[in-house]
Amino acid sequence: MNPTVPNRSDAPSSRARVARSLTLAVALLTVAACAQSSGMDGMAPSGSLRPLTISAPTPDPRVGLGAGLFDAEEALWNMRVVSTTPPPEPFVGVTSSDLAFKDNYAIQGNYSGVQIWDISNPASPTTVITYVCPASQSDVSVYGDLMFVSGEGMTGRLDCSSEGVREAVSHERLRGIRIFDISDIRNPEYVANVQTCRGSHTHTVLEDPNDQQNVYIYVSGSSTVRPDAELAGCSDALPSEDPNSALFRIEVIRVPIANPAAAAIVSSPRIFNDLVAPPTHGLAPDDIAALEEARANGAFIVTIGGSERALPGRMIQPMLDSVMQARGASTPSAADSAAVRAGLEARFTPRDGAANLGPTQCHDITVYPAIGLAGGACEGYGLLLDISDPVNPRRVSEVADSNFSYWHSATFNNDGTKVLFTDEWGGGGAPKCRASDPVEWGANAIFTLDGRDMEFESYYKLPAPQTSLENCVAHNGSLIPVPGRDIMVQSWYQGGISIFDWTDATNPVEIAFQDRGPSDANRQGAGGSWSVYWYNGLIVSSEISRGLDIFELVPSEALSQNEIDAAKSVHWDHLNSQGQPKIEWPATFALARSFVDQLERSRAMTSGWVSEIRSDLDAAESASGGARRSALNDLAGRVSDDAGSSLDRDKVRMLADAIRGLAQ
Amino acid sequence: MDEPPDPSDAMSLSGKNQILLVLLATAVAGGCATGTGSSSGATSPDLDRLEALYRARTDSATLSVSEADVDFMAGMIHHHAQALVMSRHAEGAGASPAVRRLTARIINAQTDEIGLMQRWLRDRDRMVPEVAEDGTMPMMSGDHSMHMPGMLSMAQLSELAQAEGSEYDRLFLTYMIQHHNGAVTMVHELFATDGAAQDEFVFKLASDIQVDQRTEVARMQGMLDAMPSGSRR
């Protein structure tokens, strides 16, 4: 048999061999690339910073991977498999969904319930409990001793049993949030639920820094409104017909921490009211080309809703003619043209009654309490919300994008200066990464935040084409806490996992990946990474059909061991990725060395200066007490003095601060 | 060496009437001891057994089928097919770049969804409506599919087929809003039917169709509002 295509009878060792041989091949390529890019001695910083570049493996090893459920071929680049663990038997053949983390536990949602893994030995995760309680999508979150689970589908039952709910109207049905007490994590106790009109497709836990007594949950439901007979007060009439309409709003649940059974909806903010955004965040490339061509041909250009449009001559000429005739002229003047323009722009302002009501709901909301903002991914819009009052989130700005089908989720960078939205085109069940699918569709869109305004910068889409057997589109991910850079790990369903640097918002660069072949060789099977998040040094992925995958980063020309070590120095006691924590780095030598590595990589520092700082850091590390402190303070002073003349002053100051931090 | 799939495995789960707490000491029996920490936590026989269980579960999921779900899937294939027919005209009709991008997206999305719905019906041994690439349905005669909500009449279809330029844009947007709203109505009708959408695939697909098409209706309404009113009749 072909040794690179393991079949089901292969022992795990041969599976591992395939993965290892691919890793090795990629590692060799990386080494070669590193060798190429060294030899820059004596290069002085001049001109501009060197953009991040990396030699990606060619041909891309993700293309042509062999299929299999538990034995697909796997390609890895700059990542290492720590473990791959199949789902527990009750959940085999049932969709696994999102992840949350608490202490050494990974909590994995599944359409049949919740799986809690102990990952204290990440090479061998063990089951703490397989809790059967069906609901789709079983989006999971934790806070303190509480666990929250979303239910949206028609089959979720109040009693957690698996027989479904056949009646279209039933008081047995659960659509909303289930609340569990997990103070004994081996025995979750179902303490309450909060039923909502549209169920809960996803939810977001908001920890209010000013309120220690309560935690808040923003509920996003994307399915239809339940009948009033099933849940009193639910209405899907337009708000103009029924002010209590469950459309065009989100739900906010307040959970009293001391008494979670008293959790209840406390507000249903209409964050979409008066939403008038331009139809695009800016023009797509083909629109710009068409506009420029029209301009070159002398077309009449007007600004409508913030975007320029070309109007056909046959439409403009009669208007110009009538304006000219009115003043008895035979050739148009600039004033005639301006008069026509003013009339046209008035004509293009939306008419009363034809107002677009905007989205009826959000798919997901990511809150970033440290900056008081949330990113809402809401049907055709990306929203920025002020969440300083958790019960009354207020929309502060919005963007739309004609290339985006369905805004799915949001991630801020740690500084809160950028936000990345994803487009779950096709709902996640369709193969949207084929070579024929446009790179702007089903991708990420990266925006910079200018105050409260979002400015479009670029798209990022999984760069490796996938087969039509593999459902693939942008999905869930999180930041990797590499200091001084914005790096994200993201799921692309059966497109695998992509890690990319978006420090330069205009030029996102992939720096690592993992991918498997299709889960089924003959048809589009279920599978792929639903969510992948960084948690305490590990990259943990929820595989829809294949269980739980854990990876580690491997250093490369685009990411040094120091940067990985600094990322691993960040420790959380829990993580809900949609409740984004502010990353803070403890003072470590790895932190300082990360900045040195970055200044070297971008050529913002001379190689001589880089060597000097490195050897001084080494010397300080081997010293102790007062000698170490004074060496570090001395070095910090010299680095600070250099900041003014550096190409990257901010980074040099971060380095000086990191060295000073070590001295304390 | 594969154990025969045991259908009772899947059934025993679904028969439980109370919270089922399953405590397992390890993920899979005794299978996590390679010690290298670099590969799967399960041995090959374990994985073969789990794969057999996977096949048995996914197969048994096709055995209990709601007629409402079958009717919805078959009907929605017809519905989507007409969207393809409507969208295919855009190129030849001289539609604007914005409308062409919209039609390209509709063709891409609905072609994929037709494939998913056909596969769902095929897996359940139900009649699978065939759709040609251009959206026509060679096996269909007459217009009995026109009764679904939002479907264009023959007269509307031929009106669209003859339109050009901005007139095509306006008609296309108007009729596709009607068409999409019809699909949303079909989803509402499905969810209001006893026994419907218990199948998670149907629930997800119907929910996605509902939300995608409603989002697209809002986008199309915005495009229509931005069109010069002079090109309206």
Side-chain angles (χ1 to χ4, degrees), chain A residues 483 562 565-566 569 585-596 654-655 658:
Chain A
N562 290 322
D565 291 344
S569 74
W585 288 266
T588 61
F589 279 91
L591 178 65
R593 288 180 178 125
S594 294
F595 295 133
V596 177
M654 288 158 79
L655 170 60

Side-chain angles (χ1 to χ4, degrees), chain A residues 20 82 84 89 92 127 163 165-166 168 224 287 347 354 356 360 379 402 404 427 432 434 437 523-524, chain B residues 17 24 37-38 41 49 57 101 105 108 112 119 123 191 194-195 198 200 204 214 218-219 225-226 230:
Chain A
R20 271 199 294 273
V82 177
T84 292
E89 282 199 25
V92 168
T127 292
E163 73 231 39
V165 185
R166 296 197 56 77
T224 53
D287 289 329
R347 226 162 111 181
N356 188 341
T360 73
E379 296 185 1
S402 60
F404 259 39
K432 300 303 190 190
R434 296 160 296 196
D437 293 319
R523 64 213 300 275
Q524 188 197 304
Chain B
N17 274 333
L24 297 174
S38 63
R49 194 173 51 77
R57 289 240 172 93
R101 185 165 57 241
R105 197 206 303 281
N108 187 314
D112 285 345
R119 195 192 73 196
D123 286 349
F191 288 172
D194 286 348
Q198 299 286 298
E200 288 295 348
K204 168 98 171 92
R214 225 186 27 229
R219 185 170 288 133
D225 291 346

Side-chain angles (χ1 to χ4, degrees), chain A residues 443-457:
Chain A
N444 302 329
I446 297 172
F447 296 82
T448 45
L449 291 176
D450 177 11
R452 297 283 161 104
D453 289 330
M454 292 178 274
E455 190 73 37
F456 172 76
E457 300 292 350

